[in-house]
Amino acid sequence: GFIAQEIKPLFPKAVDILPTYQNLADFHTLNVDQIYKAHIGATQQLMAVVESQQSTIAWLMDRVVQLSGGGTN
C-alpha cells in the first residue's frame, strides 16, 4: 500500500491532512480518487505515445520493403 507521508512530496494533491484525528495530531490520509485520476491520465498519455510509435514502425517497415526492392516505388 501507500503511506501518505511518502506520497505527499511526489503528489501533494493526493494527501489530505487533518489537524487532529482520534487524539492524533497532523493526521495524513490518502485521497485515492486523485491517484486514480492521475493513473488514468498517465495511461491515456502512454496510449497516445504507443499509437504514434506503432504508426511510425508501420511506416518504417513499409520503407524498408520499398528500399529493399520488395515493393513498388
Side-chain angles (χ1 to χ4, degrees):
F2 295 113
I3 297 174
Q5 287 84 344
E6 292 177 357
I7 298 296
K8 185 179 176 185
L10 305 171
F11 194 24
K13 288 174 123 182
V15 178
D16 296 323
I17 302 171
L18 305 174
T20 58
Y21 177 77
Q22 296 184 358
N23 296 325
L24 297 171
D26 198 31
F27 189 80
H28 292 65
T29 63
L30 282 176
N31 182 341
V32 292
D33 287 340
Q34 290 294 325
I35 294 172
Y36 294 147
K37 288 176 188 176
H39 180 144
I40 290 168
T43 301
Q44 290 171 334
Q45 289 177 352
L46 287 172
M47 288 303 301
V49 169
V50 168
E51 289 170 2
S52 173
Q53 289 175 340
Q54 286 174 330
S55 294
T56 301
I57 290 168
W59 181 84
L60 289 170
M61 290 175 69
D62 287 344
R63 284 295 291 155
V64 167
V65 169
Q66 290 174 1
L67 293 172
S68 66
T72 59
N73 291 336

